[in-house]
Amino acid sequence: MNTLIAISGLGVFCLIAEIFNLRKAIVPVTILGLLAVLGTTLNLYSFGSVLDGKYSNMIVSDKLSSAFISLFILLTVFIVAMGHDVYKDHPTKISDYIAIKIFLLAGAVTMVSFSNLSMFFLGIETLSIALYILAGSSRLDIKSNEAGMKYFLMGSFASGIILFGICLIYGAMGSFDVTEISNASLSAELPSWFPIGVVLVVVGMLFKIAAVPFHFWAPDVYEGSPSLVTATMSTLVKVVAVATLYKLVTVLNLNLSFDNQDILTAFQLIVVIISIASMTIGNIMALRQKNVKRMLAFSGISHAGFMLMALLTVANSSTTLLYYTSAYALAGIAAFAVIITVTKNKDNEDIINFNGLGKTNPLMAAILTAALLSMAGIPIFSGFFAKFMLFTQTIQAGYLVVVIAGVINSIISVGYYFKLILAMYTKDPNEEKQETPFVYYAVGVVSILLNVLIGLYPSLVTNLLK
């Protein structure tokens, strides 16, 4: 709870700083504050699982939530750092933009540390409303307006589905407390509407992670939103949604609470189908894209399919999921640091804009190449080891067909990643080298170094949950 209060306080500071004309202090103070909160969060590991009775057991602090919160804070630091240059042309609005991102982080923290379904829904709405605003924040851009409206409408339907599911779960169990629901689901005969409520909640979360067949909003919203907002959706928001879905399945014992073995088998079969469909459709559609943000949107759909494999081995996949999401998010942040730089002041984000980048800006080209290789699962990057761990665990659980689909799709993904890499190194540049702000170099280099570091030393991440 202290982490949530501190993050919310940072958001309030951003708004107050505007009143006193302290705009130049907003980004550095926010970054320092987030790093301080990160240090505090990491210290929570020594306390184990703690429920604070003062807050009616609404928030739980344990190793799982603290590990993911630490990742969220790190990603937000990168996003806020890039915001200093992105929003320099809107000095009077920088406090609003940064504050919204901090409140989005507060919603993310709530989503992975809830111990009550009402708190879970509050976190979803806090995060979602912030994203609706950010997606449509470029008011004079018709694509941004479309992205904001489309995401608002689709997100509202998904939130309504989740809320309806929560109501059915409450009607079946008589409580919002996840511990009571978990215990009741194991010891009592379940009403027929409990699994219906579970399905609705899971469907709503599948929308949030853009898994097939709930992915249709993602390409248009990613393309139309400002690039920094797309970076936030592609990394922070997707990781939050996946971690929350995993926690829901875990704390509610959804993999154990069905007395009817046929229902459990059907649940696992559906996860297998959605996982394979997300990987396959995401990769095939990404091969057809010329716009880099749309390509990464479909790539994100594919990675959502990989992440869903963790739901097949819920009992022991928390470490693997944390490692995979860390590898994916760090590579995504590095990629968008380059994309924002290259496409700044451009009408679009087509691949042609990256022609010859290896000649005009070798360092940024190297950063983007490393990020794409990590997403494709090439050694020595952590993306390779993340997929290896995930595949190994899934094979041990007996889902060989999912792993075969994953390997085939990993090979397919090399096609569109290398299409962008070849454009950077084999095409002639379209224009002379442009000045690149230092912050993009810093974010790109640091995130890639962290990606390689956890690839060489996976224990830096995997030991966090031991």
Side-chain angles (χ1 to χ4, degrees), residues 221-235 293 336:
V221 172
Y222 275 42
E223 181 184 7
S225 300
S227 293
L228 186 58
V229 178
T230 305
T232 306
M233 291 180 180
S234 178
T235 55
K293 290 204 295 187
F336 273 99

Side-chain angles (χ1 to χ4, degrees), residues 284-340:
I284 291 176
M285 293 303 296
L287 287 170
R288 302 167 53 89
Q289 304 306 313
K290 296 181 179 179
N291 184 286
V292 174
K293 290 204 295 187
R294 288 185 71 89
M295 185 186 79
L296 290 181
F298 284 109
S299 171
I301 293 168
S302 172
H303 281 283
F306 284 99
M307 296 175 195
L308 285 174
M309 288 186 194
L311 298 184
L312 298 172
T313 55
V314 171
N316 56 355
S317 60
S318 57
T319 300
T320 304
L321 184 63
L322 175 63
Y323 187 75
Y324 193 102
T325 52
S326 300
Y328 168 76
L330 288 171
I333 286 290
F336 273 99
V338 181
I339 292 170
I340 293 171

Side-chain angles (χ1 to χ4, degrees), residues 385-403:
F385 300 101
K387 288 184 178 180
F388 179 78
M389 290 169 60
L390 193 62
F391 290 167
T392 301
Q393 203 167 65
T394 307
I395 289 175
Q396 291 173 349
Y399 297 97
L400 181 61
V401 64
V402 185
V403 175

Side-chain angles (χ1 to χ4, degrees), residues 32-294:
L32 290 175
L34 288 173
L35 292 175
V37 175
L38 177 59
T40 304
T41 303
L42 290 173
N43 286 336
L44 293 177
Y45 287 129
S46 60
F47 298 110
S49 180
V50 179
L51 274 170
D52 196 334
K54 291 186 295 184
Y55 304 104
S56 301
N57 295 339
M58 298 291 245
I59 293 288
V60 61
S61 297
D62 56 17
K63 288 188 175 182
L64 179 67
S65 61
S66 296
F68 276 109
I69 288 170
S70 300
L71 176 60
F72 301 161
I73 294 173
L74 181 62
L75 296 176
T76 306
V77 168
F78 290 137
I79 291 168
V80 170
M82 289 189 287
H84 179 71
D85 180 75
V86 171
Y87 300 130
K88 68 180 181 180
D89 295 332
H90 307 280
T92 60
K93 297 179 181 178
I94 189 169
S95 60
D96 299 330
Y97 288 130
I98 301 300
I100 291 173
K101 287 181 172 61
I102 300 302
F103 290 131
L104 184 152
L105 175 61
V109 170
T110 305
M111 286 176 68
V112 295
S113 58
F114 72 91
S115 59
N116 188 292
L117 291 180
S118 59
M119 201 69 178
F120 156 67
F121 187 74
L122 183 63
I124 285 182
E125 287 305 286
T126 303
L127 179 138
S128 297
I129 291 172
L131 276 177
Y132 302 153
I133 298 170
L134 290 172
S137 59
S138 183
R139 294 179 300 151
L140 302 180
D141 185 353
I142 189 66
K143 286 187 176 181
S144 179
N145 295 337
E146 178 189 350
M149 180 59 70
K150 183 171 291 188
Y151 192 54
F152 170 70
L153 293 175
M154 299 294 289
S156 298
F157 280 117
S159 296
I161 292 171
I162 291 174
L163 184 59
F164 190 30
I166 291 174
C167 292
L168 290 177
I169 293 173
Y170 176 79
M173 298 300 181
S175 175
F176 288 121
D177 189 275
V178 294
T179 303
E180 294 182 14
I181 295 173
S182 177
N183 293 335
S185 67
L186 294 175
S187 60
E189 183 176 346
L190 298 174
S192 59
W193 53 87
F194 175 75
I196 298 175
V198 168
V199 169
L200 291 176
V201 172
V202 171
V203 165
M205 292 308 302
L206 289 175
F207 166 86
K208 298 296 182 182
I209 67 174
V212 173
F214 312 103
H215 66 289
F216 296 103
W217 61 272
D220 291 340
V221 172
Y222 275 42
E223 181 184 7
S225 300
S227 293
L228 186 58
V229 178
T230 305
T232 306
M233 291 180 180
S234 178
T235 55
L236 175 60
V237 176
K238 185 174 289 289
V239 171
V240 171
V242 171
T244 304
L245 177 58
Y246 176 82
K247 179 169 182 176
L248 278 168
V249 173
T250 304
V251 299
L252 297 180
N253 288 322
L254 302 186
N255 60 319
L256 301 174
S257 59
F258 299 112
D259 293 332
N260 190 332
Q261 186 64 30
D262 292 337
I263 297 179
L264 177 59
T265 303
F267 174 76
Q268 294 169 336
L269 179 62
I270 290 171
V271 172
V272 168
I273 293 172
I274 293 177
S275 176
I276 294 175
S278 297
M279 289 187 286
T280 306
I281 293 175
N283 278 324
I284 291 176
M285 293 303 296
L287 287 170
R288 302 167 53 89
Q289 304 306 313
K290 296 181 179 179
N291 184 286
V292 174
K293 290 204 295 187
R294 288 185 71 89

